């Protein structure tokens, strides 16, 4: 022992430093939500697993966690869908093609897409919760023959708030998946369903004993979705949720995203429900 | 009066699952087969709730008229669901408009006929209430959950670091 | 990590001149020597140039919401380490309250990012056993198996540690029940025990590393006598005895981790919240609380941006903010988060308690909330003590 100081290994790369990406395309999805495609300034692909997130930086404004919403099978372009909810997301939204954005990631756990092979897969999405699920949908549809029924249940506030509208229409037109959409309220021009997303779950379309569910949306919605899935026979060991907490560093150093004994940035955001069941119904954890 | 086949249509509907043949035949005595084209009104708010519907096919929107605005759809109902409980609740008037969104096939049960039969046979009445009540509860739960407005854009975020 | 030498190194002794020489020697070797000194009527940590800077003759009086320095009345013979703990710990050197993480320069529509790589080389003089444990806790936090904090690793890697064993315990101390003290067992370069009752103040010195042994060769020292060693053992035993609950001392309940994890919902949370001011003092003085926030800034031209990391506290409402609102809105939820993290979740996260029994959170709480009493209240409500 040369010194009492521990041999903390110095990381190869500094995990605090953002990698620079170029904005390629920006598409307005909804009045407050946009999707951007970005590519690394230093070239090379960006590999990630469905459900993971990145920390995105706007120069001098700050950094925010945003889930990855593109196709893991197309790693040359990184896709993020972001809702403007504060100064950083507003600054990111203001970026134009050719501008630069800082990216750290990918971070966090992922939807267990490979492990679900052989099973029916039920996606339950609420609001912009469809964005973190989309990479998993892409990956499963690219590997379609290895799965049973693929069902998407998507709940939204109004028909005007539906994310990825054209893609939803394409998915609805496919014979090898079922896409059910429901909105909280609508006016007469909407020909689809009105009600809560849990009603779609009750409608079935999957083998309750062998289905795996991936759920993402507001915490309230997930609470009721999990309950309904349980009533329909999809037990907590086959239900996965994406949790949201305040994430500042994504490395487990800042402490903000703690959820009980776990760090959402490292142990989440995707959790198997039975692992967090004990805390899920406790207030203000 | 016995209409051939209506008891079979009732039997096929999830709402009546488990009823014995005699009961279904009794209920069929109040039943009629109905068909509504897309856009047709099945019921109008404030009119007499003289029918109870079980939807066999299609979809129905429950709407509230709001002056100066398009009607608001508060809930849609689909194949396998029931439409209406105003027929049980005095003064037996519909609260909302019910409009067929697509071609809709339903079986209707005449409200007076049905109420008389339930009054005459309280066991049947209790059995029917046990089936209506969960539907009422689940629609109330749905309405309450939507009151949360859980997908709403977050309020009060101006100037926040997000 | 730290591997003990094959044979136990001999126990040495130095006098005050030897300690002064040790400080000079470390400074000469390029270390910035940080140690205890009196400022604003409190013992705090800061640069020390020699023994003259140390808090000679001062002892401290600590209780819930109470801290006083008291002269030990021995004049020139006063102890140098007669106090127990500096008001704030070594965290502020290894994990500073504000750190710049990087700087970026705008270049056209792109930017250039420069990492921060300067790190001071510290020698810590007077690290107590509980604080040594706290440093080891931070080591795990900032090297969590998946990521390493490069700034912490640099600062920590170059640090030389002179531990000082405790000869007395403050009323707020409970390291014995946390198994973190009062004697430094490992993780130091040199460990001193002050023998303040002897006529000529002496220190028994244990060598914990080759670097420690090398430094010792450069300063006047001799072997410790059997009487010195016995006196050092008595000093530590005295501190241990003072912390016994039966003798009016303070102890953490057994299985605090289990108690906290079983009582996530409990009426006591509202009771403690009625007293808690949510000020975050406990998190600032806690030697293991590590939470931080990030701040991005730009200069006036807007062409140079910096990212800073600063201490944050789970007692602020903003801490758990996600768009639209804070998760932990009630003070009860925030206190529950702090103590449950510290005593329970920490074990699952880092394989150790987050509490080392230093008692600072008790002393510096404006209303004297006592972590050991809160844990005990929960434990007793379970029908055990």
């Amino acid at each position: 022992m040369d010194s009492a100081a521990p041999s903390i290994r110095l990381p190869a790369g500094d995990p605090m430093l953002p990698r620079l990406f170029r904005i390629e395309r920006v598409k307005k999805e909804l009045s407050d939500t946009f999707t951007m495609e970005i590519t690394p300034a230093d070239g090379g692909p960006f590999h990630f697993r469905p459900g993971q997130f990145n920390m995105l930086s706007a120069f001098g404004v700050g950094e925010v966690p945003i889930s990855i919403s593109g196709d893991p099978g197309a790693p040359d372009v990184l896709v993020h869908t972001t809702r403007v909810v504060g100064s950083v997301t507003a600054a990111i939204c203001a970026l134009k093609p050719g501008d630069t954005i800082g990216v750290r990631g990918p971070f966090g756990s992922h939807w267990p897409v490979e492990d679900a092979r052989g099973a029916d897969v039920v996606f339950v999405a609420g609001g912009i919760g469809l964005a973190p699920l989309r990479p998993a949908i892409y990956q499963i549809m690219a590997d379609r023959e290895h799965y049973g029924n693929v069902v998407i249940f998507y709940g939204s506030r109004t028909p005007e708030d539906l994310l990825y509208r054209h893609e939803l229409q394409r998915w609805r037109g496919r014979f090898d998946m079922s896409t059910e959409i429901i909105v909280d309220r609508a006016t007469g021009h909407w020909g689809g369903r009105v009600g809560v997303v849990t009603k779609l779950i009750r409608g079935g379309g999957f083998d309750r004993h062998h289905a795996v569910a991936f759920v993402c949306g507001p915490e309230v919605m997930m609470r009721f979705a999990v309950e309904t899935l349980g009533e329909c026979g999809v037990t907590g060991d086959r239900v996965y949720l994406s949790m949201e907490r305040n994430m500042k560093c994504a490395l487990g150093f800042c402490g903000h995203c703690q959820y009980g004994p776990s760090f959402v940035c490292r142990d989440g955001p995707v959790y198997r429900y039975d692992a967090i069941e004990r805390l899920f119904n406790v207030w203000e954890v | 009066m016995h209409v051939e086949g209506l008891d079979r249509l009732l039997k096929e509907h999830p709402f009546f699952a488990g009823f014995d043949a005699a009961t279904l035949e009794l209920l069929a005595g109040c039943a009629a087969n109905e068909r509504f084209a897309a856009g047709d009104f099945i019921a109008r708010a404030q009119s007499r709730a003289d029918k109870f519907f079980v939807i066999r096919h299609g979809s129905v929107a429950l709407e509230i008229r709001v002056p100066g605005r398009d009607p608001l759809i508060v809930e849609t109902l689909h194949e396998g669901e029931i439409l209406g409980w105003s027929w049980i609740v005095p003064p037996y008037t519909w609260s909302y408009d019910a409009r067929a969104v697509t071609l809709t096939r339903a079986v209707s049960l005449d409200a007076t006929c049905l109420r008389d039969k339930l009054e005459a046979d309280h066991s049947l009445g209790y059995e029917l209430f046990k089936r209506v009540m969960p539907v009422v509860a689940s629609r109330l739960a749905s309405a309450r959950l939507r009151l949360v407005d859980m997908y709403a854009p977050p309020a009060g975020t101006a100037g926040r670091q997000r | 990590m730290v591997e003990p030498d094959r044979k136990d190194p001999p126990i040495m002794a130095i006098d005050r001149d030897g300690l002064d020489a040790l400080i000079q020697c470390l400074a000469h070797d390029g270390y910035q020597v940080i140690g205890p000194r009196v400022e604003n009527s409190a013992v705090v940590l800061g640069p020390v140039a020699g023994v003259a800077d140390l808090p000679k003759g001062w002892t401290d009086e600590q209780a819930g919401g109470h801290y006083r320095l008291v002269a030990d009345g021995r004049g020139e013979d006063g102890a140098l380490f007669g106090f127990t703990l500096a008001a704030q710990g070594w965290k502020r050197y290894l994990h500073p309250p504000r750190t710049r993480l990087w700087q970026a320069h705008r270049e056209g529509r792109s930017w250039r990012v420069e990492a921060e790589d300067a790190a001071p080389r510290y020698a810590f003089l007077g690290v107590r056993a509980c604080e040594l444990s706290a440093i080891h806790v931070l080591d795990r936090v900032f090297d969590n198996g998946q990521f390493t904090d490069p700034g912490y690793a640099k600062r920590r890697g170059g640090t030389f540690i002179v531990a000082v064993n405790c000869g007395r315990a403050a009323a707020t101390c409970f390291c014995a029940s946390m198994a973190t003290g009062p004697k430094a067992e490992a993780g130091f370069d040199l460990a001193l025990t002050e023998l303040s009752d002897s006529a000529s103040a002496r220190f028994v010195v244990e060598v914990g590393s080759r670097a420690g042994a090398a430094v010792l060769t450069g300063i006047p020292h001799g072997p410790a006598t059997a009487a010195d060693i016995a006196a050092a053992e008595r000093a530590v035993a005295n501190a241990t005895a003072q912390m016994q609950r039966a003798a009016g001392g303070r102890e953490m309940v057994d299985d605090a981790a289990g108690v906290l994890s079983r009582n996530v919902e409990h009426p006591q949370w509202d009771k403690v919240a009625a007293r808690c001011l949510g000020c975050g003092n406990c998190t600032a003085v806690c030697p293991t609380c590590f939470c931080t926030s990030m701040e991005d800034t730009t200069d006036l031209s807007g062409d140079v941006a910096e990212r800073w990391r600063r201490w944050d506290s789970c007692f602020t409402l903003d801490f758990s903010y996600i768009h639209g609102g804070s998760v932990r809105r009630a003070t009860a939820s925030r206190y529950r988060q702090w103590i449950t993290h510290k005593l329970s979740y920490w074990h699952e996260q880092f394989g150790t308690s987050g509490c080392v029994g230093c008692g600072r959170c008790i002393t510096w709480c404006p209303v004297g909330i006592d972590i050991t009493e809160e844990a005990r209240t929960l434990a007793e409500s379970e029908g055990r003590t």
Side-chain angles (χ1 to χ4, degrees):
Chain A
M1 155 190 56
D2 290 335
S3 135
S7 51
I8 295 184
R9 61 210 158 77
L10 276 171
D14 185 340
M16 300 288 188
L17 294 184
R19 186 177 167 196
L20 301 183
F21 277 61
R22 199 185 113 94
I23 312 279
E24 299 294 343
R25 274 185 71 209
V26 181
K27 181 188 172 210
K28 189 168 180 174
E29 301 275 0
L30 307 171
S31 63
D32 61 352
T33 305
F34 60 97
T35 295
M36 59 182 186
E37 296 179 8
I38 59 179
T39 54
D42 56 9
F46 184 93
H47 294 286
F48 70 98
R49 318 278 307 260
Q52 289 192 297
F53 69 96
N54 279 325
M55 298 298 294
L56 303 185
S57 287
F59 185 88
V61 184
E63 190 175 47
V64 283
I66 306 288
S67 63
I68 304 170
S69 52
D71 184 351
D76 291 330
V77 57
L78 176 58
V79 180
H80 283 286
T81 296
T82 309
R83 185 186 234 180
V84 177
V85 292
S87 53
V88 182
T89 41
I92 291 174
C93 174
L95 295 172
K96 302 273 180 294
D99 286 345
T100 301
I101 187 169
V103 176
R104 292 192 300 126
F107 296 116
S109 60
H110 57 272
W111 303 109
V113 170
E114 284 92 355
D115 295 346
R117 281 183 174 181
D120 288 1
V121 183
V122 181
F123 293 96
V124 186
I128 59 166
L130 183 58
L133 286 170
R134 192 168 69 163
I137 298 171
Y138 286 144
Q139 188 170 328
I140 284 174
M141 294 314 289
D143 185 26
R144 183 66 190 84
E145 67 275 20
H146 287 107
Y147 296 88
N149 290 349
V150 175
V151 186
I152 300 172
F153 297 138
Y154 180 33
S156 168
R157 192 185 194 209
T158 71
E160 291 71 38
D161 295 309
L162 289 171
L163 197 59
Y164 309 140
R165 177 179 293 270
H166 296 291
E167 203 148 28
L168 287 170
Q169 276 165 4
R170 273 207 305 282
W171 289 342
R172 278 183 70 87
R174 290 181 69 141
F175 295 111
D176 58 354
M177 69 196 293
S178 154
T179 306
E180 301 277 351
I181 298 165
I182 195 162
V183 299
D184 274 0
R185 58 172 177 273
T187 54
H189 307 294
W190 171 244
R193 286 172 169 266
V194 177
V196 274
V197 70
T198 48
K199 188 169 171 184
L200 298 178
I201 300 172
R202 288 216 168 80
F206 51 88
D207 175 355
R208 55 168 57 195
H209 301 297
H210 297 102
V212 174
F214 298 162
V215 184
C216 187
E219 208 168 303
V220 194
M221 168 251 161
M222 293 200 290
R223 193 183 311 275
F224 284 91
V226 167
E227 190 182 303
T228 309
L229 284 163
E231 286 165 20
C232 294
V234 186
T235 47
D237 58 328
R238 287 181 284 126
V239 175
Y240 294 82
L241 312 179
S242 183
M243 291 296 293
E244 185 172 22
R245 282 293 180 273
N246 188 353
M247 290 189 270
K248 294 281 190 194
C249 75
L251 308 169
F253 298 153
C254 81
H256 280 257
C257 69
Q258 287 179 82
Y259 182 59
S262 72
F263 290 92
V264 173
C265 70
R266 296 201 301 137
D267 307 303
V270 177
Y271 291 91
R272 203 170 90 173
Y273 177 67
D274 58 355
I276 55 169
E277 189 172 4
R278 203 174 69 81
L279 291 172
F280 194 65
N281 294 306
V282 178
W283 281 13
E284 302 199 353
V285 172
Chain B
M1 182 179 72
H2 177 71
V3 181
E4 188 62 50
L6 277 172
D7 54 345
R8 185 179 51 80
L9 294 185
L10 291 180
K11 186 186 159 83
E12 283 168 359
H13 195 278
F15 182 78
F16 290 105
F19 273 112
D20 60 38
T23 310
L24 288 171
E25 199 175 319
L26 180 76
L27 293 172
C30 300
N33 208 346
E34 309 234 15
R35 178 187 181 283
F36 301 93
D40 284 356
F41 281 100
I42 301 172
R44 300 302 297 255
Q46 273 68 54
S47 69
R48 269 191 58 203
D50 49 9
K51 282 178 184 174
F52 165 54
F53 296 92
V54 298
I55 302 168
R56 295 175 48 225
H57 174 84
S59 57
V60 177
L62 292 182
E63 298 178 346
I64 298 180
R65 301 210 149 243
V66 187
R69 283 199 260 160
D70 287 335
L72 183 75
I73 303 173
V74 292
E75 181 120 39
T76 56
L77 306 173
H78 306 268
E79 183 176 323
E81 296 192 272
I82 63 167
L83 165 61
W85 53 68
S86 300
W87 63 274
I88 314 179
V89 185
Y92 312 126
T93 51
W94 289 98
S95 302
Y96 314 105
D97 292 334
R99 196 173 47 80
V101 179
T102 59
L103 171 71
T104 298
R105 293 192 171 87
V107 175
S108 69
L109 291 115
D110 180 83
T112 312
C113 170
L114 195 54
R115 285 196 298 263
D116 288 347
K117 289 192 169 156
L118 303 187
E119 201 58 62
D121 181 353
H122 281 191
S123 298
L124 177 61
Y126 179 60
E127 186 56 42
L128 209 81
F129 268 60
K130 277 204 294 185
R131 290 161 187 251
V132 172
M133 200 56 209
V135 177
V136 177
S138 108
R139 293 200 195 154
L140 180 61
S142 161
R144 284 174 173 170
L145 195 49
R146 284 180 285 150
L147 260 184
V148 175
D149 201 6
M150 53 197 175
Y151 310 123
T157 56
R160 301 304 291 248
Q161 277 276 319
R162 288 292 284 195
Chain C
M1 300 269 279
V2 179
E3 304 244 339
D5 279 344
R6 289 279 150 90
K7 61 181 177 56
D8 287 340
I11 296 177
M12 297 299 191
I14 59 173
D15 59 14
R16 285 194 180 174
D17 290 341
L19 181 60
D20 200 60
L22 173 63
I23 296 170
Q24 316 298 333
C25 183
L26 288 168
H28 183 262
D29 286 350
Y31 290 105
Q32 193 181 334
V33 184
I34 307 296
R37 41 189 305 149
V38 174
E39 268 172 35
N40 300 323
S41 306
V43 174
V44 297
L45 300 175
V48 290
V51 162
D53 288 337
L54 299 177
K56 184 168 72 180
W58 290 107
T59 182
D60 53 4
E61 197 181 271
Q62 301 196 36
H66 175 88
Y67 178 94
R68 288 274 183 292
L69 281 188
V70 181
D72 69 1
R74 291 166 44 195
E76 273 308 297
D77 288 336
L80 299 180
F81 296 94
F83 66 97
T84 55
L85 284 167
Q88 289 184 301
W90 306 93
K91 178 174 85 172
R92 61 192 303 103
Y93 291 96
L94 294 174
H95 177 46
R98 269 172 68 76
T99 328
R100 189 169 68 187
L101 298 176
W102 48 258
Q103 199 178 51
H105 301 263
R106 204 190 282 279
E107 289 180 342
R109 296 178 75 182
S110 185
W111 0 316
R112 176 171 45 83
V113 183
E114 284 171 7
E116 197 70 14
D117 45 23
R121 212 164 143 242
Y122 292 122
F124 291 164
L125 172 65
V127 180
R128 302 296 189 171
C130 61
E131 300 182 304
L132 209 46
S133 285
I135 291 171
H136 291 153
V137 169
L138 290 181
D139 289 349
R140 296 191 199 194
V141 169
F142 292 113
D143 185 10
N144 59 30
Q146 193 178 353
F147 298 106
T148 304
D149 178 357
Y152 182 88
K154 276 180 217 148
R155 286 185 292 271
R156 175 71 172 107
T159 301
F160 186 95
I161 290 180
V162 183
V164 171
N165 294 321
C166 290
R168 64 173 271 267
T172 45
C173 289
F174 56 101
C175 66
S177 61
M178 300 305 297
T180 56
K183 185 179 189 305
E185 301 291 350
F188 52 80
D189 293 291
L190 294 172
L192 313 181
T193 309
E194 185 171 31
L195 306 178
S196 51
D197 21 345
S198 62
S200 63
R202 288 160 63 76
F203 296 90
V204 166
V205 184
E206 285 169 80
V207 176
S209 71
R210 278 197 202 95
V215 168
L216 196 59
T217 57
I219 64 170
H221 67 282
T225 65
D228 286 345
I229 294 170
E233 284 169 359
R234 274 200 308 279
V236 169
N238 177 53
T240 305
Q242 287 175 344
M243 283 183 274
Q244 282 172 3
R245 192 167 149 83
R250 195 175 296 275
E251 290 178 12
M252 179 60 75
V253 287
D254 288 343
D255 188 28
V259 169
L260 269 299
S261 76
R262 285 191 296 271
N263 290 285
V264 178
E265 288 178 293
H266 196 285
Q268 181 62 18
W269 300 125
D270 283 333
K271 288 186 192 153
V272 68
R275 300 171 61 208
C276 176
L277 308 179
C279 69
N281 264 16
C282 49
T283 58
V285 296
C286 177
T288 67
C289 270
F290 59 84
C291 291
T292 51
S293 204
M294 305 291 179
E295 276 172 3
D296 282 24
T297 61
T298 51
D299 67 351
L300 285 177
S301 71
D303 290 334
V304 181
E306 293 181 341
R307 178 159 299 158
W308 286 79
R309 180 163 82 172
R310 61 165 177 79
W311 285 359
D312 202 351
S313 170
C314 55
F315 280 92
T316 68
L317 194 53
D318 238 25
F319 187 83
S320 61
Y321 178 83
I322 43 180
H323 53 80
S326 292
V327 175
R328 297 182 203 108
R329 296 165 65 93
T331 307
S333 308
R334 303 202 287 276
Y335 186 83
R336 176 180 70 183
Q337 168 62 25
W338 178 73
I339 191 174
T340 310
H341 181 216
K342 189 91 359 199
L343 296 178
S344 180
Y345 296 154
W346 212 293
H347 286 274
E348 290 168 75
Q349 293 172 349
F350 304 110
T352 171
S353 174
C355 176
V356 296
C358 74
R360 283 189 181 95
C361 57
I362 306 170
T363 300
W364 297 100
C365 175
V367 297
I369 293 172
D370 178 343
I371 187 171
T372 64
E373 278 309 307
E374 292 306 318
R376 190 172 299 280
T377 302
L378 295 176
E380 285 172 355
S381 76
E382 291 186 321
R384 53 191 282 280
T385 49

